[in-house]
Structures are given as structure tokens and as C-alpha cells.
Amino acid sequence: MTQSPPLHGLRVLEFAGLAPGPFAGLLLADFGATVLRIDRAHPSAHTPSPPPPTADQLTRRKSSIAVNLKSPSGLALIKTLIPRIDILIDPFRPGVLEKSGLDPALLLKLNPRLIVARMTGFRRDGKYKDMAGHDINYIAVAGVLSMLGRAGDKPYAPGNIVGDFAGGGGVCFMGILLALLQREKTGLGQVVEANMVDGSSFMASMPRFSAKTPMWNGERGTNVLDGGCPYYDTYETKDGRFMAVGALEPQFFAALLKGMGIEAKRIGGKRDDRRTWPAMRELFRKTFKSRTRDEWEGIFDGTDACCTPVFEQAELEKAGFDQRPIVTLKSSPGYAIQDGEAEGRPAAEGQGIGIEGSGWTTKGLRPGAGGEEVLAQWMGWSRGRHYDVREGGLESVEKVGRSKL
């Protein structure tokens, strides 16, 4: 029998932000936690005509309340929630939470079991701590960006995947899970501090260690795994699409040559002799250009050549590629992402009916959407009795302060 997702029953407050903080909240929601986002007050929030969704698209299974944290009554509402939640996600720059009257030390006094997950870009104690930044800046000062890019060209930022998500939200999620494990032993929560400098630096552990070896001791773009090696690269095909080659081991390289119809002697020497790489790359380039991607896929499918098509997201969506939870738990899988019937769904695909959009599209989350229902479930609250809406945000009324926690 399938068990509930492992985080079922956990209550999360997520202060609205973009990218890493919401991603940590998304992972928590996917594995069963109830996540309530705290948005800024908005004139039409909590009305029959709510405001449009915010720019945050990582809102799967989340609800929202709009709160004016500059209002004493709005702040009082948040403080009254604290004793009844498990996790609070803070996406702000250092000091912002403290200035708003929600110092983590105070929050832990209100709820000693609380886990306060703090997500920053730069280190909290570093020289850049008070500066604005984005993914590209965080991986730059972490020494990661300098490793990415083609030979003879400038460093190349790979979207915002490395800093915001791998080294940011993903690491923050891991920190929350570690704190939950510790809470099982001690009964106490704690502050979790994640930042994208340390997170992305840690993600680059293998390349950093390899920089002391022949694997990665050359200039950017000239090494085995950074585009310098011809049998670990991408190649354009006859129809303008691409194939990805990762034939690092000798037996895989042999299978690659066989599929391409290239005799080993045409390589001009040992394959790990970097002097052979320019000619080898040109040979591979011309060969891949001779057939379409589909033709190459037909040749290499089912082989150990480590040669696969480079699919675009739109292709995968059109083909019905199913989006799945980030990891499979066989007995207690996370919630399904792909929309469809719940019965008979394999654990790898998650449990439940999935969500509208199947992980390809999202309608986002409107400030105030669904949040009052969550407050009713968590606290037994109702509008007018326990809280009210003033100037587009929820605020506590006198009865909230006297309610039992």
C-alpha cells in the first residue's frame, strides 16, 4: 500500500520571492508539505477580483495570503501563526527579516520546534553581503563561472540553473531536511542558512579537485568535460539539430566510431593525446553533418556509444514526456506532476492525479488565493472573527491575540 508523501502534515510559511526560495518551497510541497506563501498587501487581494499572479512561477500546490508586514496588526498575525508551523522560508537579504520584527531568535522563542530556512545569494558574512546580485554574480565570486565557456571566449553563464536552483533552492531544501532529521532527535528546530556562493562552489567540487589533474588543468574550454574534448561535445546534424557525445571510456569510444563508420586509424593517434583533438573534432563535425538527427538517433539507440539526441523542451512537451518528482520513493512517493488518473500510476511518476499543466505550464499564484482556507485548516480561523482585510492585507483582530496556540 502506498504511504503518504514523507512531508505530509508539515506546515510551511514561505515569504514571497523569486527562484531559490520558491524552489525550496516547491520541493517541500511536491513531497507533501502544505505551503502558504506570504505576499505583499495588494488592494484587490482577498476580494472576489484578486490581483494577477506574481512573477513567481514555482507555485505548484501552494496557497497565498497577502499581509502588510509594516502594519503592527499584520505582523501580529504572522507571529500568531509561528507556533503552529514547522518551517519558515526567508528569501530576503541579510537583516531584512530582523528589521521587519521577525528576528529568528524571537521566532524560535515563539516556537522552539521551528526551522527558519534563510536563503541568500552572497555569504551572510562576506564582503558582498549587503549588495544586490543574481545567479551570475553568485557563481562568479564562487569561482564557478570562470570554469564555464568555450576556449578563447568569455565565461558563459548557463542560465540560472547552477546558482539559483542547484546551489540555492536545492541546497536550502537539503538543509531543511537535515534540520528536520535533527529535530526528530532533539525536539528542537534551528536556523538553516543557505547561500548560492557556497552552494554553487560545493556543486563544483569535482571540477575544482580535477583542476589539479590532467582532467581539468588546462585553460577554460580546453579540458575533457568543458567542451575541449571532441568525444565529449555536441555536434550539429544535417537538419540543423544536434547530437550529444559523451564517449569517455575506451569501449564507449569504440562504439561511437563504429556507429559513425569511422576506422580507428583515422583518428591519427591515441584518442587521449590532445594533439589529435583538432583533427578529430573536424572529422566528427563533418560526419555528423552528413545525416539528420533522427537518422543518428536510429543508429545509436540501444548502443553504448553514449551518443544521444539533444531534445528541446517544446519537442518533449509535444511528445508527451512526463514530468516526474525529483526523486522516486518507492513506498511513499511525492505527488504526481503529470496530470492524469491516479490509479495504477507507478511510484516513479508520483501519487495522485497530478496538476494542471503537467509541469509544462503554470498559471502562477494570485496574492491571497486559497490562503484563507489554509488558515481555517491550520488555525480554525475565520474572517471577521480572527482576522480582517485592511488595505489589501490580512491583519489580526483582538481575538487572535487571545486565542489558544
Side-chain angles (χ1 to χ4, degrees):
M1 178 180 293
T2 301
Q3 304 165 14
S4 298
L7 304 183
H8 178 74
L10 291 179
R11 299 173 174 183
V12 182
L13 280 182
E14 175 194 306
F15 282 105
L18 290 174
F23 185 56
L26 179 74
L27 289 168
L28 292 168
D30 277 349
F31 284 91
T34 301
V35 180
L36 181 61
R37 191 179 75 186
I38 303 173
D39 282 298
R40 293 180 179 179
H42 189 284
S44 60
H46 298 283
T47 71
S49 300
T54 67
D56 172 23
Q57 296 186 337
L58 304 172
T59 58
R60 190 162 57 228
R61 298 189 178 87
K62 299 179 185 178
S63 301
S64 164
I65 55 173
V67 180
N68 181 4
L69 293 180
K70 295 182 179 180
S71 160
S73 296
L75 192 61
L77 183 140
I78 297 300
K79 288 181 178 178
T80 309
L81 286 173
I82 292 300
R84 301 289 287 272
I85 67 169
D86 297 283
I87 301 157
L88 183 140
I89 298 176
D90 164 24
F92 306 127
R93 287 199 223 180
V96 171
L97 204 63
E98 288 83 351
K99 289 178 182 178
S100 70
L102 296 171
D103 189 303
L106 170 63
L107 300 180
L108 287 169
K109 286 182 179 179
L110 295 173
N111 180 2
R113 290 178 55 81
L114 180 67
I115 293 166
V116 182
R118 315 195 75 179
M119 181 75 254
T120 59
F122 297 116
R123 288 176 168 176
R124 304 185 73 86
D125 58 351
K127 62 177 290 189
Y128 307 105
K129 64 183 179 65
D130 295 322
M131 292 171 51
H134 282 293
D135 181 293
I136 192 171
N137 307 114
Y138 310 136
I139 68 174
V141 302
V144 177
L145 182 58
S146 65
M147 307 178 83
L148 307 174
R150 289 293 184 177
D153 205 348
K154 63 184 181 180
Y156 181 78
N160 65 334
I161 298 171
V162 176
D164 279 346
F165 296 101
V171 169
C172 185
F173 175 65
M174 180 176 66
I176 291 169
L177 297 184
L178 292 172
L180 286 170
L181 285 172
Q182 184 69 6
R183 193 175 74 174
E184 288 296 308
K185 300 176 184 178
T186 66
L188 298 174
Q190 61 181 297
V191 175
V192 174
E193 293 185 348
N195 71 78
M196 286 175 258
V197 173
D198 291 330
S200 60
S201 177
F202 204 92
M203 293 297 167
S205 293
M206 185 268 190
R208 184 170 63 253
F209 296 150
S210 297
K212 308 291 185 180
T213 75
M215 173 69 75
W216 213 307
N217 63 358
E219 296 294 323
R220 177 175 56 249
T222 67
N223 301 288
V224 175
L225 300 180
D226 66 356
C229 176
Y231 45 90
Y232 198 89
D233 205 349
T234 57
Y235 291 93
E236 188 176 0
T237 57
K238 186 177 181 179
D239 53 349
R241 295 196 268 182
F242 295 88
M243 294 293 288
V245 174
L248 293 176
E249 290 78 6
Q251 68 274 27
F252 301 155
F253 184 75
L256 175 69
L257 294 185
K258 179 180 178 181
M260 296 175 72
I262 296 175
E263 295 182 2
K265 64 182 180 181
R266 294 181 63 190
I267 298 302
K270 294 182 178 180
R271 70 187 187 100
D272 56 358
D273 183 346
R274 299 190 182 209
R275 291 173 296 183
T276 68
W277 286 5
M280 190 189 310
R281 186 185 306 279
E282 182 62 15
L283 177 60
F284 286 5
R285 187 191 68 79
K286 290 181 178 179
T287 302
F288 275 109
K289 265 287 198 176
S290 68
R291 299 176 187 267
T292 66
R293 193 190 70 182
D294 288 347
E295 289 174 326
W296 285 119
E297 184 179 3
I299 290 171
F300 287 114
D301 268 6
T303 74
D304 281 345
C306 300
C307 186
T308 56
V310 177
F311 291 124
E312 296 181 0
Q313 294 288 331
E315 287 183 89
L316 292 176
E317 181 180 6
K318 186 177 181 180
F321 179 87
D322 58 312
Q323 298 290 346
R324 300 179 177 183
I326 193 171
V327 66
T328 299
L329 301 176
K330 300 294 285 188
S331 298
S332 56
Y335 288 128
I337 299 171
Q338 185 80 12
D339 198 3
E341 295 294 330
E343 295 300 322
R345 192 191 294 272
E349 298 178 10
Q351 60 177 295
I353 61 173
I355 49 97
E356 184 179 356
S358 296
W360 291 106
T361 58
T362 176
K363 293 182 178 179
L365 181 60
R366 296 173 181 267
E372 293 187 64
E373 289 84 349
V374 174
L375 293 181
Q377 294 168 5
W378 284 3
M379 310 290 288
W381 285 356
S382 59
R383 188 190 293 199
R385 183 182 178 192
H386 299 97
Y387 62 87
D388 243 321
V389 182
R390 296 190 182 93
E391 298 182 356
L394 300 188
E395 294 187 351
S396 67
V397 296
E398 188 178 355
K399 290 182 180 179
V400 172
R402 295 203 302 259
S403 65
K404 293 183 179 180
L405 301 180

